[in-house]
Amino acid sequence: MPSEKPLMELIESLGHSFDGILSIVKAIGNEKRLQILIALLTGAKSFDTLKKETALKKTALSNHLKILLQQGLIKKPEHGKYQPTHDGNLFIRTIEYAYTKSNSWKKNQTKSLQTRQFSDPFIEAIFAGKRSFT
Amino acid sequence: MNNGDFMKEPQITQKISFQLLGCMYYGNPFHSAEEWTIENEVGKLWQRFMTLAGKYASILSSISTNNNIGYEIHIEPEEYKTTKKYYVFVGVEVTNIKEVPLEMFVKILPETRYANFTTKVNDKDSGAYIFKEWMPQKGYGQAYPYVIEAYDSRRFKGINDSESEIDWFIPVRKV
């Protein structure tokens, strides 16, 4: 749910937390790390499984996992397995909530509904012969 | 498929947003006439538009971007395959929509790039060639399910003049 703090309190809080928020946003704001967080929503996964699902090379995956671990977004409950932390779940769910309430989401929904190609019968119909304008 | 009738190689435009004023039809244009003739529903739509354009000439002349060019848009709805019904809009491009005659409609199309090319009026092959061969070869797909035909009265002299030309705009995106 979005913060309901009064404006001045919100600004003050954001100011105090600026560096922390920026670190989290940077950690999540990467295509592969976001993919990893989403992949882990279904439960703990091994390094090899994540490697397969993200199509990342070993070193690259290790680096991304290291950043997510450092930011406390994922944890290793047992050797070789990774899963999201409470924070990881909270940030992913909050981002999803905010995005699906946003105008960007509505705009993209509308666009995806309209982005289609002609069917073959329609192409044949509109290009069949003489035009109508006089 | 023949592509030898192109006036010149199709061009990809910059992003354009068309804002048009005109008349709309929904249905099967071949309902009352099987072939593409001025007697079909699209021909009648143009006649309706022309009558209104005359009636509201003072408004159109002040907001039309080019009185020489008429636009015909064909929009395919998802249900076309089963109903054979689709949308046809005819009109002119306008600079503003502050004053719209009651019997007319405004159509604002999405901002997009277009594959723009010119054909002779009786060219039956080039359009389909563009969709099925030229666009895939060039790495483009159709961005939206509509096509624009532009009739410039300086080059379009009626459907019975084989030298008449039509300018086509197909919304495209890189695939």
Side-chain angles (χ1 to χ4, degrees):
Chain A
M1 289 289 288
S3 172
E4 291 179 359
K5 284 180 181 167
L7 181 61
M8 293 316 292
E9 207 179 309
L10 176 69
I11 292 169
E12 197 181 336
S13 171
L14 287 168
H16 284 311
S17 311
F18 188 84
D19 289 344
I21 292 171
L22 190 59
S23 298
I24 295 290
V25 169
K26 279 183 178 174
I28 299 174
N30 172 280
E31 183 185 347
K32 292 297 177 186
R33 291 197 287 275
L34 187 57
Q35 272 180 19
I36 292 167
L37 283 170
I38 293 168
L40 292 176
L41 286 174
T42 52
K45 284 183 179 168
S46 69
F47 187 90
D48 283 344
T49 304
L50 285 172
K51 189 168 164 281
K52 207 176 286 177
E53 289 186 11
T54 58
L56 279 167
K57 289 186 177 165
K58 196 177 167 183
T59 313
L61 178 59
S62 291
N63 289 336
H64 287 307
L65 289 170
K66 190 177 162 190
I67 291 168
L68 292 171
L69 282 164
Q70 279 171 350
Q71 292 305 319
L73 296 169
I74 60 169
K75 60 185 176 183
K76 283 175 84 173
E78 54 184 288
H79 182 69
K81 292 263 187 179
Y82 297 85
Q83 74 178 58
T85 59
H86 168 268
D87 286 6
N89 264 310
L90 179 66
F91 280 115
I92 284 293
R93 286 178 180 276
T94 305
I95 288 168
E96 188 277 341
Y97 174 85
Y99 183 67
T100 54
K101 298 287 174 292
S102 70
N103 287 329
S104 293
W105 183 80
K106 286 175 194 161
K107 199 174 167 186
N108 282 336
Q109 283 293 103
T110 308
K111 196 174 177 183
S112 69
L113 280 175
Q114 296 188 26
T115 306
R116 283 185 291 109
Q117 307 212 9
F118 279 161
S119 63
D120 285 347
F122 193 75
I123 293 173
E124 282 155 27
I126 62 168
F127 290 111
K130 290 181 179 179
R131 317 312 305 169
S132 51
F133 181 47
T134 53
Chain B
M1 206 170 280
N2 170 31
N3 71 327
D5 295 333
F6 283 135
M7 313 301 290
K8 59 181 180 179
E9 181 75 3
Q11 301 292 309
I12 301 296
T13 70
Q14 294 298 307
K15 285 190 172 181
I16 301 172
S17 179
F18 282 101
Q19 178 177 258
L20 305 158
L21 177 66
C23 297
M24 183 71 109
Y25 168 80
Y26 173 75
N28 179 352
F30 306 108
H31 174 71
S32 58
E34 286 296 314
E35 299 295 327
W36 280 108
T37 74
I38 58 170
E39 297 306 320
N40 73 17
E41 304 297 342
V42 183
K44 289 175 184 170
L45 182 65
W46 272 110
Q47 288 166 20
R48 184 150 56 90
F49 170 74
M50 291 303 194
T51 302
L52 290 170
K55 181 179 173 184
Y56 296 109
S58 61
I59 296 176
L60 263 65
S61 63
S62 66
I63 59 174
S64 170
T65 59
N66 188 334
N67 285 324
N68 289 312
I69 303 176
Y71 293 88
E72 182 175 312
I73 305 162
H74 294 242
I75 305 165
E76 182 188 5
E78 283 186 275
E79 69 274 15
Y80 171 76
K81 280 181 190 170
T82 50
T83 64
K84 298 297 171 200
K85 292 179 179 176
Y86 62 96
Y87 297 90
V88 182
F89 180 96
V90 303
V92 291
E93 191 178 22
V94 291
T95 53
N96 73 69
I97 50 172
K98 287 175 187 162
E99 198 174 9
V100 175
L102 276 177
E103 305 97 315
M104 289 183 158
F105 296 86
V106 169
K107 188 76 196 163
I108 299 172
L109 295 167
E111 186 179 79
T112 181
R113 294 180 194 279
Y114 289 91
N116 173 221
F117 58 99
T118 301
T119 64
K120 295 289 187 189
V121 66
N122 290 328
D123 179 356
K124 297 177 184 178
D125 297 323
S126 295
Y129 165 78
I130 286 284
F131 275 95
K132 293 179 179 177
E133 294 184 40
W134 189 87
M135 276 165 46
Q137 280 168 14
K138 300 289 179 183
Y140 286 95
Q142 193 177 6
Y144 299 97
Y146 69 84
V147 64
I148 302 173
E149 299 162 36
Y151 297 88
D152 187 328
S153 62
R154 292 160 295 193
R155 290 182 290 116
F156 186 87
K157 303 295 179 190
I159 57 173
N160 295 321
D161 184 337
S162 61
E163 288 305 304
S164 284
E165 293 176 8
I166 302 171
D167 298 322
W168 296 81
F169 292 85
I170 297 171
V172 292
R173 63 185 167 83
K174 268 281 183 194
V175 291

PDB file of all heavy atoms in Angstrom, chain A residues 76-98:
ATOM      1  N   LYS A  76      20.338 -17.271   1.776  1.00  0.00           N
ATOM      2  CA  LYS A  76      20.689 -18.669   1.481  1.00  0.00           C
ATOM      3  C   LYS A  76      20.317 -19.494   2.705  1.00  0.00           C
ATOM      4  O   LYS A  76      21.131 -19.650   3.616  1.00  0.00           O
ATOM      5  CB  LYS A  76      22.190 -18.791   1.202  1.00  0.00           C
ATOM      6  CG  LYS A  76      22.606 -18.317  -0.179  1.00  0.00           C
ATOM      7  CD  LYS A  76      24.107 -18.351  -0.349  1.00  0.00           C
ATOM      8  CE  LYS A  76      24.597 -19.730  -0.759  1.00  0.00           C
ATOM      9  NZ  LYS A  76      26.052 -19.707  -1.075  1.00  0.00           N
ATOM     10  N   PRO A  77      19.093 -20.019   2.746  1.00  0.00           N
ATOM     11  CA  PRO A  77      18.657 -20.760   3.928  1.00  0.00           C
ATOM     12  C   PRO A  77      19.418 -22.069   4.089  1.00  0.00           C
ATOM     13  O   PRO A  77      19.551 -22.576   5.178  1.00  0.00           O
ATOM     14  CB  PRO A  77      17.172 -21.011   3.675  1.00  0.00           C
ATOM     15  CG  PRO A  77      17.020 -20.933   2.199  1.00  0.00           C
ATOM     16  CD  PRO A  77      18.066 -20.006   1.698  1.00  0.00           C
ATOM     17  N   GLU A  78      19.866 -22.621   2.982  1.00  0.00           N
ATOM     18  CA  GLU A  78      20.679 -23.834   3.047  1.00  0.00           C
ATOM     19  C   GLU A  78      21.730 -23.741   1.947  1.00  0.00           C
ATOM     20  O   GLU A  78      21.586 -22.949   1.001  1.00  0.00           O
ATOM     21  CB  GLU A  78      19.814 -25.089   2.863  1.00  0.00           C
ATOM     22  CG  GLU A  78      18.975 -25.084   1.603  1.00  0.00           C
ATOM     23  CD  GLU A  78      18.055 -26.279   1.500  1.00  0.00           C
ATOM     24  OE1 GLU A  78      18.586 -27.372   1.259  1.00  0.00           O
ATOM     25  OE2 GLU A  78      16.834 -26.104   1.636  1.00  0.00           O
ATOM     26  N   HIS A  79      22.746 -24.548   2.050  1.00  0.00           N
ATOM     27  CA  HIS A  79      23.858 -24.456   1.112  1.00  0.00           C
ATOM     28  C   HIS A  79      23.387 -24.621  -0.353  1.00  0.00           C
ATOM     29  O   HIS A  79      22.714 -25.590  -0.690  1.00  0.00           O
ATOM     30  CB  HIS A  79      24.898 -25.536   1.429  1.00  0.00           C
ATOM     31  CG  HIS A  79      26.088 -25.439   0.512  1.00  0.00           C
ATOM     32  ND1 HIS A  79      26.982 -24.391   0.576  1.00  0.00           N
ATOM     33  CD2 HIS A  79      26.499 -26.237  -0.496  1.00  0.00           C
ATOM     34  CE1 HIS A  79      27.909 -24.559  -0.343  1.00  0.00           C
ATOM     35  NE2 HIS A  79      27.631 -25.674  -1.023  1.00  0.00           N
ATOM     36  N   GLY A  80      23.758 -23.658  -1.167  1.00  0.00           N
ATOM     37  CA  GLY A  80      23.467 -23.758  -2.604  1.00  0.00           C
ATOM     38  C   GLY A  80      22.050 -23.393  -3.002  1.00  0.00           C
ATOM     39  O   GLY A  80      21.690 -23.433  -4.166  1.00  0.00           O
ATOM     40  N   LYS A  81      21.220 -23.010  -2.039  1.00  0.00           N
ATOM     41  CA  LYS A  81      19.830 -22.620  -2.369  1.00  0.00           C
ATOM     42  C   LYS A  81      19.631 -21.143  -2.040  1.00  0.00           C
ATOM     43  O   LYS A  81      20.182 -20.629  -1.061  1.00  0.00           O
ATOM     44  CB  LYS A  81      18.839 -23.451  -1.540  1.00  0.00           C
ATOM     45  CG  LYS A  81      18.817 -24.920  -1.917  1.00  0.00           C
ATOM     46  CD  LYS A  81      17.682 -25.200  -2.874  1.00  0.00           C
ATOM     47  CE  LYS A  81      17.561 -26.695  -3.119  1.00  0.00           C
ATOM     48  NZ  LYS A  81      16.469 -27.004  -4.028  1.00  0.00           N
ATOM     49  N   TYR A  82      18.799 -20.497  -2.862  1.00  0.00           N
ATOM     50  CA  TYR A  82      18.523 -19.075  -2.650  1.00  0.00           C
ATOM     51  C   TYR A  82      17.008 -18.875  -2.573  1.00  0.00           C
ATOM     52  O   TYR A  82      16.248 -19.547  -3.257  1.00  0.00           O
ATOM     53  CB  TYR A  82      19.057 -18.246  -3.824  1.00  0.00           C
ATOM     54  CG  TYR A  82      20.560 -18.331  -3.978  1.00  0.00           C
ATOM     55  CD1 TYR A  82      21.137 -19.377  -4.698  1.00  0.00           C
ATOM     56  CD2 TYR A  82      21.381 -17.379  -3.402  1.00  0.00           C
ATOM     57  CE1 TYR A  82      22.504 -19.479  -4.836  1.00  0.00           C
ATOM     58  CE2 TYR A  82      22.769 -17.461  -3.537  1.00  0.00           C
ATOM     59  CZ  TYR A  82      23.325 -18.510  -4.260  1.00  0.00           C
ATOM     60  OH  TYR A  82      24.675 -18.602  -4.386  1.00  0.00           O
ATOM     61  N   GLN A  83      16.608 -17.904  -1.728  1.00  0.00           N
ATOM     62  CA  GLN A  83      15.175 -17.559  -1.694  1.00  0.00           C
ATOM     63  C   GLN A  83      15.032 -16.107  -1.260  1.00  0.00           C
ATOM     64  O   GLN A  83      15.937 -15.531  -0.648  1.00  0.00           O
ATOM     65  CB  GLN A  83      14.390 -18.503  -0.781  1.00  0.00           C
ATOM     66  CG  GLN A  83      14.597 -18.288   0.701  1.00  0.00           C
ATOM     67  CD  GLN A  83      13.731 -19.234   1.519  1.00  0.00           C
ATOM     68  OE1 GLN A  83      13.824 -20.458   1.386  1.00  0.00           O
ATOM     69  NE2 GLN A  83      12.904 -18.662   2.398  1.00  0.00           N
ATOM     70  N   PRO A  84      13.906 -15.477  -1.600  1.00  0.00           N
ATOM     71  CA  PRO A  84      13.768 -14.067  -1.242  1.00  0.00           C
ATOM     72  C   PRO A  84      13.588 -13.895   0.265  1.00  0.00           C
ATOM     73  O   PRO A  84      12.998 -14.757   0.918  1.00  0.00           O
ATOM     74  CB  PRO A  84      12.506 -13.620  -1.988  1.00  0.00           C
ATOM     75  CG  PRO A  84      11.883 -14.817  -2.549  1.00  0.00           C
ATOM     76  CD  PRO A  84      12.762 -15.992  -2.333  1.00  0.00           C
ATOM     77  N   THR A  85      14.087 -12.778   0.777  1.00  0.00           N
ATOM     78  CA  THR A  85      13.872 -12.442   2.186  1.00  0.00           C
ATOM     79  C   THR A  85      12.508 -11.772   2.326  1.00  0.00           C
ATOM     80  O   THR A  85      11.827 -11.505   1.315  1.00  0.00           O
ATOM     81  CB  THR A  85      14.940 -11.452   2.670  1.00  0.00           C
ATOM     82  OG1 THR A  85      14.851 -10.283   1.840  1.00  0.00           O
ATOM     83  CG2 THR A  85      16.339 -12.039   2.571  1.00  0.00           C
ATOM     84  N   HIS A  86      12.150 -11.451   3.546  1.00  0.00           N
ATOM     85  CA  HIS A  86      10.932 -10.668   3.781  1.00  0.00           C
ATOM     86  C   HIS A  86      11.004  -9.369   2.985  1.00  0.00           C
ATOM     87  O   HIS A  86      10.048  -8.965   2.320  1.00  0.00           O
ATOM     88  CB  HIS A  86      10.782 -10.382   5.289  1.00  0.00           C
ATOM     89  CG  HIS A  86       9.735  -9.357   5.590  1.00  0.00           C
ATOM     90  ND1 HIS A  86      10.019  -8.004   5.693  1.00  0.00           N
ATOM     91  CD2 HIS A  86       8.398  -9.486   5.771  1.00  0.00           C
ATOM     92  CE1 HIS A  86       8.899  -7.353   5.938  1.00  0.00           C
ATOM     93  NE2 HIS A  86       7.904  -8.221   5.999  1.00  0.00           N
ATOM     94  N   ASP A  87      12.187  -8.699   3.032  1.00  0.00           N
ATOM     95  CA  ASP A  87      12.355  -7.438   2.287  1.00  0.00           C
ATOM     96  C   ASP A  87      12.211  -7.660   0.780  1.00  0.00           C
ATOM     97  O   ASP A  87      11.573  -6.859   0.080  1.00  0.00           O
ATOM     98  CB  ASP A  87      13.742  -6.841   2.563  1.00  0.00           C
ATOM     99  CG  ASP A  87      13.829  -6.220   3.949  1.00  0.00           C
ATOM    100  OD1 ASP A  87      12.852  -6.364   4.722  1.00  0.00           O
ATOM    101  OD2 ASP A  87      14.870  -5.609   4.263  1.00  0.00           O
ATOM    102  N   GLY A  88      12.834  -8.727   0.285  1.00  0.00           N
ATOM    103  CA  GLY A  88      12.754  -9.012  -1.143  1.00  0.00           C
ATOM    104  C   GLY A  88      11.315  -9.177  -1.594  1.00  0.00           C
ATOM    105  O   GLY A  88      10.883  -8.593  -2.606  1.00  0.00           O
ATOM    106  N   ASN A  89      10.559  -9.955  -0.827  1.00  0.00           N
ATOM    107  CA  ASN A  89       9.130 -10.136  -1.120  1.00  0.00           C
ATOM    108  C   ASN A  89       8.373  -8.821  -1.062  1.00  0.00           C
ATOM    109  O   ASN A  89       7.553  -8.513  -1.936  1.00  0.00           O
ATOM    110  CB  ASN A  89       8.516 -11.102  -0.098  1.00  0.00           C
ATOM    111  CG  ASN A  89       8.461 -12.515  -0.638  1.00  0.00           C
ATOM    112  OD1 ASN A  89       7.976 -12.729  -1.740  1.00  0.00           O
ATOM    113  ND2 ASN A  89       8.964 -13.467   0.133  1.00  0.00           N
ATOM    114  N   LEU A  90       8.671  -8.038   0.004  1.00  0.00           N
ATOM    115  CA  LEU A  90       7.960  -6.768   0.196  1.00  0.00           C
ATOM    116  C   LEU A  90       8.200  -5.805  -0.970  1.00  0.00           C
ATOM    117  O   LEU A  90       7.251  -5.226  -1.521  1.00  0.00           O
ATOM    118  CB  LEU A  90       8.426  -6.126   1.513  1.00  0.00           C
ATOM    119  CG  LEU A  90       7.801  -4.779   1.863  1.00  0.00           C
ATOM    120  CD1 LEU A  90       6.303  -4.922   2.136  1.00  0.00           C
ATOM    121  CD2 LEU A  90       8.488  -4.179   3.100  1.00  0.00           C
ATOM    122  N   PHE A  91       9.470  -5.673  -1.386  1.00  0.00           N
ATOM    123  CA  PHE A  91       9.779  -4.733  -2.472  1.00  0.00           C
ATOM    124  C   PHE A  91       9.151  -5.188  -3.787  1.00  0.00           C
ATOM    125  O   PHE A  91       8.572  -4.382  -4.518  1.00  0.00           O
ATOM    126  CB  PHE A  91      11.294  -4.565  -2.631  1.00  0.00           C
ATOM    127  CG  PHE A  91      11.883  -3.615  -1.627  1.00  0.00           C
ATOM    128  CD1 PHE A  91      12.775  -4.053  -0.661  1.00  0.00           C
ATOM    129  CD2 PHE A  91      11.526  -2.267  -1.635  1.00  0.00           C
ATOM    130  CE1 PHE A  91      13.311  -3.181   0.274  1.00  0.00           C
ATOM    131  CE2 PHE A  91      12.051  -1.388  -0.699  1.00  0.00           C
ATOM    132  CZ  PHE A  91      12.944  -1.841   0.269  1.00  0.00           C
ATOM    133  N   ILE A  92       9.253  -6.474  -4.087  1.00  0.00           N
ATOM    134  CA  ILE A  92       8.685  -6.974  -5.355  1.00  0.00           C
ATOM    135  C   ILE A  92       7.162  -6.791  -5.369  1.00  0.00           C
ATOM    136  O   ILE A  92       6.585  -6.330  -6.354  1.00  0.00           O
ATOM    137  CB  ILE A  92       9.049  -8.471  -5.552  1.00  0.00           C
ATOM    138  CG1 ILE A  92      10.512  -8.589  -5.972  1.00  0.00           C
ATOM    139  CG2 ILE A  92       8.164  -9.132  -6.592  1.00  0.00           C
ATOM    140  CD1 ILE A  92      10.823  -8.026  -7.351  1.00  0.00           C
ATOM    141  N   ARG A  93       6.519  -7.136  -4.275  1.00  0.00           N
ATOM    142  CA  ARG A  93       5.058  -7.012  -4.231  1.00  0.00           C
ATOM    143  C   ARG A  93       4.632  -5.541  -4.274  1.00  0.00           C
ATOM    144  O   ARG A  93       3.616  -5.197  -4.892  1.00  0.00           O
ATOM    145  CB  ARG A  93       4.502  -7.686  -2.962  1.00  0.00           C
ATOM    146  CG  ARG A  93       4.536  -9.195  -3.057  1.00  0.00           C
ATOM    147  CD  ARG A  93       4.044  -9.884  -1.797  1.00  0.00           C
ATOM    148  NE  ARG A  93       4.113 -11.328  -1.956  1.00  0.00           N
ATOM    149  CZ  ARG A  93       3.174 -12.055  -2.550  1.00  0.00           C
ATOM    150  NH1 ARG A  93       2.088 -11.462  -3.014  1.00  0.00           N
ATOM    151  NH2 ARG A  93       3.303 -13.359  -2.686  1.00  0.00           N
ATOM    152  N   THR A  94       5.411  -4.663  -3.610  1.00  0.00           N
ATOM    153  CA  THR A  94       5.070  -3.237  -3.597  1.00  0.00           C
ATOM    154  C   THR A  94       5.250  -2.625  -4.985  1.00  0.00           C
ATOM    155  O   THR A  94       4.419  -1.833  -5.444  1.00  0.00           O
ATOM    156  CB  THR A  94       5.950  -2.487  -2.567  1.00  0.00           C
ATOM    157  OG1 THR A  94       5.803  -3.119  -1.300  1.00  0.00           O
ATOM    158  CG2 THR A  94       5.553  -1.025  -2.468  1.00  0.00           C
ATOM    159  N   ILE A  95       6.337  -3.026  -5.656  1.00  0.00           N
ATOM    160  CA  ILE A  95       6.571  -2.513  -7.016  1.00  0.00           C
ATOM    161  C   ILE A  95       5.450  -2.975  -7.947  1.00  0.00           C
ATOM    162  O   ILE A  95       4.916  -2.196  -8.738  1.00  0.00           O
ATOM    163  CB  ILE A  95       7.955  -2.985  -7.540  1.00  0.00           C
ATOM    164  CG1 ILE A  95       9.065  -2.221  -6.803  1.00  0.00           C
ATOM    165  CG2 ILE A  95       8.075  -2.779  -9.046  1.00  0.00           C
ATOM    166  CD1 ILE A  95      10.454  -2.791  -7.010  1.00  0.00           C
ATOM    167  N   GLU A  96       5.091  -4.251  -7.843  1.00  0.00           N
ATOM    168  CA  GLU A  96       4.008  -4.782  -8.699  1.00  0.00           C
ATOM    169  C   GLU A  96       2.705  -4.042  -8.419  1.00  0.00           C
ATOM    170  O   GLU A  96       1.976  -3.664  -9.338  1.00  0.00           O
ATOM    171  CB  GLU A  96       3.838  -6.284  -8.436  1.00  0.00           C
ATOM    172  CG  GLU A  96       2.886  -6.995  -9.390  1.00  0.00           C
ATOM    173  CD  GLU A  96       1.409  -6.893  -9.022  1.00  0.00           C
ATOM    174  OE1 GLU A  96       1.096  -6.594  -7.859  1.00  0.00           O
ATOM    175  OE2 GLU A  96       0.574  -7.078  -9.903  1.00  0.00           O
ATOM    176  N   TYR A  97       2.429  -3.813  -7.132  1.00  0.00           N
ATOM    177  CA  TYR A  97       1.194  -3.115  -6.747  1.00  0.00           C
ATOM    178  C   TYR A  97       1.170  -1.701  -7.349  1.00  0.00           C
ATOM    179  O   TYR A  97       0.189  -1.286  -7.968  1.00  0.00           O
ATOM    180  CB  TYR A  97       1.104  -3.046  -5.217  1.00  0.00           C
ATOM    181  CG  TYR A  97      -0.072  -2.221  -4.723  1.00  0.00           C
ATOM    182  CD1 TYR A  97      -1.333  -2.797  -4.582  1.00  0.00           C
ATOM    183  CD2 TYR A  97       0.086  -0.875  -4.416  1.00  0.00           C
ATOM    184  CE1 TYR A  97      -2.405  -2.045  -4.153  1.00  0.00           C
ATOM    185  CE2 TYR A  97      -0.990  -0.105  -3.993  1.00  0.00           C
ATOM    186  CZ  TYR A  97      -2.239  -0.692  -3.850  1.00  0.00           C
ATOM    187  OH  TYR A  97      -3.291   0.050  -3.441  1.00  0.00           O
ATOM    188  N   ALA A  98       2.298  -0.983  -7.162  1.00  0.00           N
ATOM    189  CA  ALA A  98       2.362   0.401  -7.654  1.00  0.00           C
ATOM    190  C   ALA A  98       2.243   0.440  -9.177  1.00  0.00           C
ATOM    191  O   ALA A  98       1.510   1.265  -9.739  1.00  0.00           O
ATOM    192  CB  ALA A  98       3.666   1.058  -7.202  1.00  0.00           C
TER     193      ALA A  98
END
